[in-house]
Amino acid sequence: MPPPDSPKSRGEASTLGRRLSAVWSYGRGAPDPKDIENLNIKRTELTEVYCHDDPQVDVVLVHGLNGHPQASWTAKNDVFWPTQLLPRTLGKVRARVLVYGYNADVYAFGGRSATSDYILQHAQTLVMTLDSERYGEDASERPIIFVAHSLGGILVKKALEYSSEITNVNNENLRSVFVSTFGIIFLGTPHNGADPAMWGQMVQSMCAALLPKKMLDTQPQLVTALKVQSETLQNINVAFTNIMDKFNLAFFHEAVKTDFGLFKDFVRPPFPAASPDHADTPGQVVDQTSAAPIMPGPAYAGIEATHSGMCKFESKNAPGYTSVASTIKRYAQEAPPVIAHRWAEERQLRRRVRLSRAHELTVSINNHVPPAGPTPLPGADASTAINATPSRLQALPAPASQARFEDVYTVEEVKDTEMAG
């Protein structure tokens, strides 16, 4: 099996390009296309890599910056732990394991393309993809456990914020991701930003200067979002604080420094942005204060591995595996009754909102107050305007004190509601 950073997978990329791609990805670079084909792991969207005969919970792994849904979870001995280790640890726990892939490349070679999306666009895609896949499996209400590495944790937080704020009845299916999520395991996620985001900028500067433009594509959006004191991160953190009590959280931080010495041979003027004095000094990609912010409730632990290695387990005895896998197992065991109760509350909430909207519409009809929606015909009164709308009537806006769902009702639905009342 060719190594994931083989020249074949990089086309005509230079030796410098291959070395950067293999190291600067918080992972190992993309595997050879044949390896991906053999495992049927898609570069983007969701891939199911393990499934119990009767699953009761979905475990979703989300990679980080310049990561890959296979390579980011594969150890140096080619062990892909979501398939080769985790199922045995789960034992009788009825779970399904999926890996999520998205274009988080801040640079790319040859035919590949660096991402131009911002975190919000990635989050919307994650929610839509996960909701669609689970709907197709008749599993929209199945509990979800996220395992997220590095930037993947920021993406998951933004996705849950987005899902929780869905207000339109036509898209309320997208709320299923928020309602179904039981727990999140963060592996080296830079909640408060990371100084090594500058290393991403350094790679971009070096590659742009040293490689032919036709062989290189770079985009700065994701790297910029990961900077310390980034406004994007601050906004995500504030919004997540409002919903975090819904989830079980576990924060893992790297305990082994990463050797950045790879870059010292290539750092030369005139690249001032790419020539820090400590380019050959080992350091943490995401320090403990950012990866494990102190707050009440979450579990905390360190993993004796580098930022890249903390999500790659060679065996069940690898540093961090027992803690991570046991947390997944415990969440999977505890999740079903909790999420079932949450969905019962969600259905009641949606029913109350619909009844409230129907009542408001009924009052407006009885009082001959035209509802928001169609403009009355010239010279027509309110009742004529209502009759001019044969199929649907737009509900009035709900009071601010009520849940924020928009809905529409047929005249028949309103009459049924009146009779039921």
Side-chain angles (χ1 to χ4, degrees):
M1 178 181 296
D5 57 345
S6 65
K8 183 177 181 181
S9 66
R10 297 300 178 193
E12 298 179 355
S14 67
T15 301
L16 168 61
R18 290 194 297 274
R19 291 184 65 185
L20 291 175
S21 183
V23 176
W24 179 257
S25 62
Y26 298 168
R28 299 175 61 208
D32 185 271
K34 291 184 179 179
D35 297 335
I36 300 175
E37 182 179 354
N38 292 338
L39 289 176
N40 295 318
I41 294 180
K42 295 181 289 187
R43 176 67 178 84
T44 59
E45 301 185 355
L46 286 164
T47 302
E48 179 184 292
V49 296
Y50 167 76
C51 187
H52 186 278
D53 291 339
D54 184 22
Q56 287 191 331
V57 64
D58 284 344
V59 180
V60 182
L61 287 78
V62 184
H63 65 73
L65 194 66
N66 250 74
H68 186 277
Q70 178 185 354
S72 291
W73 314 103
T74 302
K76 293 181 179 179
N77 61 350
D78 292 327
V79 170
F80 180 63
W81 67 270
T83 296
Q84 296 171 265
L85 299 179
L86 185 58
R88 181 173 297 181
T89 301
L90 292 174
K92 296 181 180 179
V93 175
R94 294 152 60 182
R96 185 172 68 132
V97 181
L98 306 100
V99 291
Y100 179 72
Y102 62 106
N103 185 358
D105 296 345
V106 296
Y107 65 89
F109 300 98
R112 294 172 60 195
S113 176
T115 183
S116 59
D117 279 353
Y118 292 84
I119 289 180
L120 173 60
Q121 284 73 37
H122 282 301
Q124 292 171 328
T125 303
L126 171 58
V127 171
M128 174 66 79
T129 302
L130 192 53
D131 172 72
S132 299
E133 197 277 344
R134 284 159 50 85
Y135 178 80
E137 296 290 325
D138 295 323
S140 294
E141 298 184 10
R142 184 183 294 161
I144 298 172
I145 298 167
F146 283 106
V147 180
H149 178 235
S150 193
L151 171 69
I154 305 299
L155 173 57
V156 168
K157 289 164 64 176
K158 185 63 179 179
L160 291 171
E161 172 201 340
Y162 167 71
S163 177
S164 72
E165 294 179 346
I166 298 296
T167 61
N168 191 302
V169 69
N170 295 322
N171 296 323
E172 69 182 12
N173 57 292
L174 299 179
R175 280 179 56 84
S176 66
V177 176
F178 165 70
V179 177
S180 297
T181 297
F182 178 83
I184 313 168
I185 298 171
F186 295 103
L187 304 175
T189 293
H191 298 280
N192 297 322
D195 286 333
M198 71 178 180
W199 292 98
Q201 292 181 315
M202 182 177 76
V203 170
Q204 289 176 329
S205 299
M206 291 178 0
C207 291
L210 301 177
L211 295 177
K213 187 174 182 180
K214 66 179 182 180
M215 295 176 58
L216 180 70
D217 181 22
T218 66
Q219 292 288 348
Q221 286 91 336
L222 295 182
V223 169
T224 301
L226 291 180
K227 287 183 177 179
V228 174
Q229 298 182 340
S230 158
E231 183 177 357
T232 298
L233 284 182
Q234 292 178 6
N235 291 338
I236 292 174
N237 288 338
V238 169
F240 188 71
T241 300
N242 296 327
I243 60 174
M244 62 176 290
D245 62 342
K246 292 283 187 180
F247 317 121
N248 285 262
L249 305 176
F251 295 116
F252 290 88
H253 64 271
E254 65 208 67
V256 176
K257 296 180 179 180
T258 297
D259 184 5
F260 295 110
L262 166 73
F263 301 109
K264 65 182 180 181
D265 294 333
F266 304 105
V267 176
R268 297 287 185 274
F271 312 121
S275 56
D277 294 335
H278 56 281
D280 59 349
T281 302
Q284 290 180 317
V285 175
V286 181
D287 62 32
Q288 182 176 348
T289 59
S290 184
I294 300 300
M295 59 184 68
Y300 296 89
I303 294 179
E304 289 294 324
T306 63
H307 185 77
S308 172
M310 70 185 305
C311 59
K312 301 174 176 65
F313 305 118
E314 297 182 354
S315 71
K316 66 178 183 179
N317 297 321
Y321 175 75
T322 298
S323 297
V324 172
S326 295
T327 302
I328 295 173
K329 183 175 183 177
R330 183 169 62 255
Y331 285 178
Q333 291 172 326
E334 297 173 354
V338 174
I339 299 304
H341 177 71
R342 193 181 296 173
W343 268 106
E345 292 181 333
E346 177 75 6
R347 285 190 290 271
Q348 291 177 3
L349 171 63
R350 294 181 184 184
R351 182 175 181 274
R352 288 196 300 269
V353 170
R354 285 178 170 81
L355 290 176
S356 176
R357 292 295 178 84
H359 175 71
E360 291 177 357
L361 185 56
T362 301
V363 171
S364 71
I365 293 174
N366 291 338
N367 293 334
H368 300 289
V369 177
T375 301
L377 299 175
D381 59 16
S383 60
T384 304
I386 292 174
N387 293 331
T389 310
S391 59
R392 314 191 101 181
L393 293 175
Q394 181 69 40
L396 294 175
S401 61
Q402 297 181 1
R404 301 172 301 168
F405 287 100
E406 296 175 6
D407 209 342
V408 288
Y409 303 90
T410 63
V411 175
E412 289 73 12
E413 287 175 328
V414 175
K415 292 180 178 178
D416 290 343
T417 303
E418 289 182 299
M419 295 176 64

